[in-house]
Amino acid sequence: MSAQKIIADWKNKLYKAVYWLEGEEDYYINLVMNYAEHRILPESEAGFNLSVFYGKDAIWSDVVNACMRHPMFAEKQVVLLKEAQHMKDKDLERLENYIERPLGSTIFVVSYKEKTLDKRTKLSKVIKKHGEIFTSDKIREYKLVEWVTDYLQSQDFTMTSRAIGLLTEHLGNDLNRIVNELEKLTVNLGGRRSITEDDIEKFVGVSKEYNVFELQDALSKKDLAKAIRIIQYFEANPKAAPIQMVLPALYGYFSRLYAIFGIADRNEASIKHLFFNNSFAAKDALSAAKKYAYEGVERSLLLLHEYNLKSLGINSPNTPDASLMKEMVVKMMG
């Protein structure tokens, strides 16, 4: 069951008694909760038949009592319990009796962010039997390009692959942040339907010349001068790319290079899935793998791990981040 399927069912007036929305990815949970709050009931019915509780302040008995009420002048009522992860486990367990015998005219929707229920518990089994559990997992980084492309197509926009790379390297896999930035971008396009690197630089604030994406490119080509220039830009603009963002991104790239050596037939088609199904990125990666060889890629991964520890103050107290990065890239390209 996906968020889109739940919403599609609701549009067709197909409801279950209980929906439990859980997991680490807030975006889809928010999407479903927002629809439940603002779209299931017409505005004329919501005033009497919509109840919203927040886990931090909610009393379990008040939630159950709201669920047990019959709708007024309508066929259905909606009860929302947001941020249920802030409730005590024993209070959540007290919802079990209602969920075992839910009222057919109540649509009870619970958001339980940042974690998931233990599937062995009675609560989980009761919800599964009488309702729907939707688990919203973090999207894998290798799927981000496809996700952004599909999202933009659904809004009738396109974005260059380079621009997508800049955006996702800057924001990571936080879908809420990505969608917020995409909405800001599309509003500022002035009627255009295609987003470019210049738009990312102007409206998101990511330099198209000095960013993690370009540092990765410099390392892949063993262009030390370019790498040092980019690191110096980071040093002068600390918010542009903090070391805690740079090192994981580079580690991800070199991990993908490392995976190439486990593929017998190394060509663009066979490794493309490692690089967001981008033929150009796959071609550049094959070139980088050849430049570094297996030993060089392995050494780079070890260096990235070592300098991540140093960035945390382990074995290198008080060393500036830029100095650590310069030292690291010199060793990587050596």
Side-chain angles (χ1 to χ4, degrees):
M1 177 66 72
S2 66
Q4 290 84 354
K5 178 64 167 60
I6 291 172
I7 291 173
D9 283 349
W10 289 351
K11 287 179 178 177
N12 290 317
K13 308 296 184 185
L14 301 174
Y15 306 111
K16 292 192 175 181
V18 181
Y19 294 87
W20 186 275
L21 317 174
E22 63 179 20
E24 296 182 349
E25 180 50 68
D26 289 358
Y27 173 74
Y28 288 110
I29 295 174
N30 293 340
L31 193 70
V32 176
M33 289 297 284
N34 186 64
Y35 192 98
E37 184 170 1
H38 300 288
R39 303 289 296 278
I40 290 181
L41 298 175
E43 190 174 344
S44 59
E45 296 179 7
F48 292 108
N49 297 297
L50 173 66
S51 302
V52 182
F53 298 90
Y54 291 85
K56 187 176 180 180
D57 305 311
I59 299 171
W60 71 270
S61 57
D62 290 344
V63 177
V64 170
N65 287 335
C67 289
M68 292 295 294
R69 285 200 306 263
H70 289 276
M72 295 180 63
F73 314 114
E75 293 183 4
K76 295 284 184 181
Q77 71 155 344
V78 174
V79 178
L80 306 181
L81 175 55
K82 299 183 177 183
E83 311 286 349
Q85 70 275 8
H86 296 308
M87 291 182 74
K88 295 177 181 178
D89 288 345
K90 64 179 183 180
D91 288 338
L92 286 174
E93 290 168 5
R94 285 171 171 154
L95 302 176
E96 289 172 7
N97 287 337
Y98 169 75
I99 296 172
E100 280 188 306
R101 293 177 293 277
L103 201 64
S105 56
T106 295
I107 304 166
F108 182 33
V109 189
V110 183
S111 72
Y112 187 74
K113 296 179 178 179
E114 301 163 11
K115 49 184 166 179
T116 59
L117 285 177
D118 184 338
K119 299 299 182 286
R120 297 167 297 181
T121 63
K122 181 182 177 184
L123 178 60
S124 177
K125 292 174 181 177
V126 167
I127 297 168
K128 189 173 182 180
K129 182 177 180 180
H130 296 281
E132 190 73 57
I133 297 178
F134 165 62
T135 302
S136 183
D137 295 318
K138 278 287 184 185
I139 189 170
R140 300 293 180 90
E141 290 190 355
Y142 70 88
K143 290 187 175 181
L144 274 177
V145 172
E146 180 183 356
W147 192 93
V148 172
T149 301
D150 290 345
Y151 176 85
L152 286 169
Q153 284 180 348
S154 73
Q155 307 296 315
D156 199 26
F157 286 92
T158 60
M159 182 187 285
T160 64
S161 59
R162 188 82 169 171
I164 293 176
L166 287 177
L167 184 73
T168 55
E169 286 289 351
H170 179 65
L171 298 177
N173 63 344
D174 186 331
L175 297 188
N176 282 316
R177 289 185 66 197
I178 290 173
V179 170
N180 286 340
E181 292 297 340
L182 290 175
E183 288 177 349
K184 182 169 69 176
L185 280 163
T186 55
V187 165
N188 284 286
L189 288 181
R192 285 188 293 116
R193 310 302 294 181
S194 180
I195 301 168
T196 67
E197 302 97 291
D198 290 335
D199 297 320
I200 299 295
E201 182 172 52
K202 183 176 180 181
F203 300 116
V204 181
V206 183
S207 169
K208 64 181 180 181
E209 294 182 33
Y210 300 101
N211 54 70
V212 179
F213 199 70
E214 289 298 322
L215 178 59
Q216 174 185 297
D217 183 68
L219 283 168
S220 72
K221 294 178 171 60
K222 289 199 169 185
D223 187 340
L224 182 59
K226 179 181 177 181
I228 296 299
R229 283 198 307 273
I230 293 170
I231 293 170
Q232 287 172 335
Y233 176 86
F234 294 165
E235 185 176 19
N237 301 272
K239 292 183 179 180
I243 194 169
Q244 291 79 15
M245 181 179 81
V246 173
L247 296 183
L250 294 180
Y251 193 88
Y253 176 70
F254 277 92
S255 295
R256 292 191 289 274
L257 289 187
Y258 189 75
I260 290 175
F261 294 98
I263 298 174
D265 186 14
R266 294 173 203 150
N267 55 54
E268 288 177 33
S270 64
I271 72 161
K272 193 167 66 169
H273 68 283
L274 296 172
F275 298 91
F276 314 112
N277 288 317
N278 185 315
S279 296
F280 296 106
K283 183 178 180 180
D284 288 344
L286 285 172
S287 176
K290 188 175 181 180
K291 279 186 171 67
Y292 279 86
Y294 177 85
E295 295 77 11
V297 173
E298 186 177 50
R299 185 178 69 252
S300 295
L301 287 169
L302 292 172
L303 284 167
L304 284 160
H305 176 66
E306 175 188 343
Y307 279 84
N308 180 56
L309 293 176
K310 287 184 176 183
S311 74
L312 299 173
I314 300 172
N315 299 324
S316 182
N318 303 318
T319 305
D321 290 349
S323 298
L324 290 175
M325 283 196 280
K326 289 174 186 176
E327 184 179 294
M328 181 189 71
V329 299
V330 168
K331 289 181 179 179
M332 289 170 74
M333 295 188 199

